[in-house]
Amino acid sequence: MHNKSLSELASDLKSSAYSSVELTQYFLDRIHQHQPSLNAFITIMDEQALAMAKVADEQIATGSAGALTGIPMAHKDIFCTDGVRTSAGSKMLDNFIAPYNATVVEKLNAAGMPILGKTNMDEFAMGSSNENSFYGRVKNPWDLERVPGGSSGGSATAVAARLAPVATGTDTGGSIRQPASLTGITGIKPTYGRVSRFGMIAYASSLDQGGVFGTSATDCALVLEAMSGFDEKDSTSSEQAVGDFSATLNNSLQGLKIGLPKEYFKEGLDSGVAKVIDEAIAEYKKMGAEIIEISLPNSHLAIPAYYVIAPAECSSNLSRLDGVRYGYRCENPENLQDHYMRSRGEAFGNEVKRRIMVGTYALSAGYYDAYYLKAQKIRRLISEDFKQAFEKVDVIMGPVAPNTAFKIGEKSDDPISMYLSDIYTIAVNLAGLPGMSIPAGQADNLPVGLQLIGNYFDEAKMLNIAHQYQQVTNHHQQMPTAFESTASNKGEA
Ligand code: GLN
């Protein structure tokens, strides 16, 4: 069951091959079986999942089911879930039971998708390896000594090991695309504003965007459509109509203009990764696409600009976490100052503290112009680069990350080298564009993702481009062998 597409699962449910309760139990069993080795989940929601599945079964029986009714999924633990702990991977929110649902959760609940659980993540979505979680590291199912990428590494691992058919994620600088690439699955971060941020715990509000992981573009299309749309509770959400992402998946790619940014193929890119990307581009040529070299001249400024803007915004967003209204509170504070300092000091991890300090510094009087304002100007230049590129091409392609999954611990003491993991993804967030990662092959037996960058609100086109590739290749169907069967490897993998 774990290798079926969402539409196969839906038709099996409709024909009563199994019930949603059985399907949900099946995935819950897989989650429990592999939790000790992968640590992909922070909270496993057995009871709620089965209760939701029961309701879905009733809807299926009365003929009121939609395309996703009864298919279970997982949510990144950054999306608020009513009555369920929502930790954002932090000790600060370990005791936080969300009193409402994020809009994304609300919409997917309404679509009838039982929630299997909340997935592990880097604390407040800060990281590229999932080594920054209060709940421990997440392992990459392709090699348990390696990271799955971050910050949505729990969701990516859950889908890659087929513990959930699909899962939500968020992407502020690459946190959907990079873990999708490192775990060999499909992930899409839509245009900024396409998906509501209401109830999604804020990291850097002008960059954060929710999206989805699946094993194929078709599956992502179905779920993304269900979670997208204007939300009056998020003033930055777009009023642009959502459209039918599945309707154009089979459009021909004849004459498609693909831009390859020369800056994305320079030194720093692993040769094995480069080879996989070249082969993927060759495949697109065979499908009738035209390849055009483009330039994104300011892309080298993306990481420095991001590491001013994102910390500045997070220092402001996280200031609400002071132990007064909710979240962690230190014991026996001497006075208010001590209360603030110890509550925050004891509950935030090192990476979060580093960013709060950088952000507070960048926003201080006297430094604002030199850092934050300058970074915002660079952001504008980066958006202009993309704008010019999209006058010539329909889509931009390149690597997602410079390397395949790295070893646990390899970069944890070197923040700069960790930050460089997102060198090809961050500019997309600064510009607010949609980006996607699709499995394109392997280098040294580890998955490599191809990145697709689309113009604003071109999600349907990107999913079409991804789907056509998945029609002529089978990289997206590869899964780590240790997780293939359910019964025989109990407790091992
Ligand atoms: N790795 C980047 C960071 O640490 C991006 C994270 C993200 O997209 N949430 O900020």
Side-chain angles (χ1 to χ4, degrees), residues 79 122 199 292 309 351 382 417 423 431 463 490:
F79 290 99
D122 280 307
I292 299 168
I309 295 169
E351 185 61 28
I382 287 170
S417 127
I423 189 154
L463 289 159
K490 223 174 176 110

Side-chain angles (χ1 to χ4, degrees), residues 76 78 121-129 132 150-152 170-179 189 203-204 207-209 306-307 310-311 351 355 418-422 425-426 429:
K76 184 177 182 178
I78 199 166
M121 56 179 284
D122 280 307
E123 185 175 6
F124 291 108
M126 298 173 197
S128 304
S129 66
N132 297 340
S151 64
S152 316
T170 61
D171 191 314
T172 303
S175 283
I176 289 177
R177 290 159 289 159
Q178 188 251 11
K189 169 209 110 65
Y203 161 18
L207 301 160
D208 297 341
Q209 185 60 200
Y306 174 89
Y307 278 101
E351 185 61 28
R355 303 217 185 173
M418 186 73 88
Y419 295 171
L420 287 172
S421 308
D422 300 315
T425 51
I426 272 181
N429 301 73

Side-chain angles (χ1 to χ4, degrees), residues 124-127 172-173 202-208 302-318 351-352 354-360 362-363 371-372 375-376 379 419 426 429-430:
F124 291 108
M126 298 173 197
T172 303
Y203 161 18
S205 312
S206 76
L207 301 160
D208 297 341
I303 290 204
Y306 174 89
Y307 278 101
V308 171
I309 295 169
E313 294 185 14
C314 95
S315 72
S316 163
N317 277 326
L318 299 188
E351 185 61 28
V352 173
R354 181 178 4 248
R355 303 217 185 173
I356 291 175
M357 286 192 285
V358 170
T360 307
L363 290 177
Y371 297 108
Y372 190 73
Q376 291 289 23
R379 186 173 190 174
Y419 295 171
I426 272 181
N429 301 73
L430 290 169

Side-chain angles (χ1 to χ4, degrees), residues 54-358:
K54 213 166 153 239
V55 174
D57 279 331
E58 283 156 19
Q59 288 172 338
I60 294 166
T62 58
S64 57
L68 296 169
T69 307
I71 301 172
M73 69 174 302
H75 286 293
K76 184 177 182 178
D77 204 21
I78 199 166
F79 290 99
C80 285
T81 35
D82 193 0
V84 178
R85 172 173 60 183
T86 300
S87 74
S90 182
K91 180 177 178 184
M92 180 59 92
L93 293 177
D94 181 49
N95 63 3
F96 175 62
I97 309 293
Y100 59 86
N101 281 324
T103 298
V104 161
V105 172
E106 198 67 29
K107 280 179 178 270
L108 294 170
N109 282 355
M113 304 188 80
I115 307 174
L116 296 163
K118 308 290 296 290
T119 59
N120 204 344
M121 56 179 284
D122 280 307
E123 185 175 6
F124 291 108
M126 298 173 197
S128 304
S129 66
N130 240 288
E131 292 168 290
N132 297 340
S133 170
F134 172 62
Y135 301 91
R137 303 175 172 113
V138 179
K139 310 281 175 58
N140 189 319
W142 291 90
D143 177 347
L144 299 181
E145 287 178 8
R146 291 177 189 270
V147 305
S151 64
S152 316
S155 284
T157 285
V159 173
R162 309 301 194 260
L163 310 185
V166 283
T168 51
T170 61
D171 191 314
T172 303
S175 283
I176 289 177
R177 290 159 289 159
Q178 188 251 11
S181 175
L182 270 46
T183 60
I185 58 171
T186 303
I188 181 163
K189 169 209 110 65
T191 309
Y192 183 80
R194 178 73 300 173
V195 166
S196 168
R197 290 183 299 107
F198 179 75
M200 195 175 103
I201 293 173
Y203 161 18
S205 312
S206 76
L207 301 160
D208 297 341
Q209 185 60 200
V212 61
F213 294 99
T215 54
S216 69
T218 19
D219 286 1
C220 288
L222 280 172
V223 179
L224 186 65
E225 192 178 313
M227 67 195 269
S228 293
F230 173 69
D231 179 9
E232 59 183 19
K233 297 191 194 117
D234 171 7
S235 60
T236 59
S237 87
S238 167
E239 293 193 40
Q240 180 134 338
V242 175
D244 182 345
F245 296 153
S246 303
T248 46
L249 290 172
N250 288 317
N251 283 4
S252 156
L253 300 189
Q254 197 64 44
L256 178 83
K257 293 197 176 77
I258 298 175
L260 300 185
K262 60 177 189 217
E263 293 81 3
Y264 284 24
F265 294 87
K266 287 191 171 154
E267 79 272 24
L269 179 62
D270 174 82
S271 60
V273 173
K275 186 164 170 275
V276 170
I277 302 301
D278 287 348
E279 285 164 5
I281 304 293
E283 203 62 59
Y284 275 103
K285 258 196 209 161
K286 277 198 245 160
M287 288 187 271
E290 184 189 339
I291 311 299
I292 299 168
E293 189 188 84
I294 57 163
S295 175
L296 299 170
N298 293 296
S299 47
H300 65 290
L301 299 173
I303 290 204
Y306 174 89
Y307 278 101
V308 171
I309 295 169
E313 294 185 14
C314 95
S315 72
S316 163
N317 277 326
L318 299 188
S319 66
R320 74 189 66 154
L321 298 165
D322 55 10
V324 175
R325 285 154 300 179
Y326 58 95
Y328 179 84
R329 178 180 291 184
C330 70
E331 280 179 22
N332 307 320
E334 283 171 17
N335 51 40
L336 189 61
Q337 181 76 4
D338 186 47
H339 165 100
Y340 286 146
M341 286 179 61
R342 281 207 288 117
S343 295
R344 287 168 68 81
E346 289 165 18
F348 286 138
N350 286 341
E351 185 61 28
V352 173
K353 285 179 188 162
R354 181 178 4 248
R355 303 217 185 173
I356 291 175
M357 286 192 285
V358 170

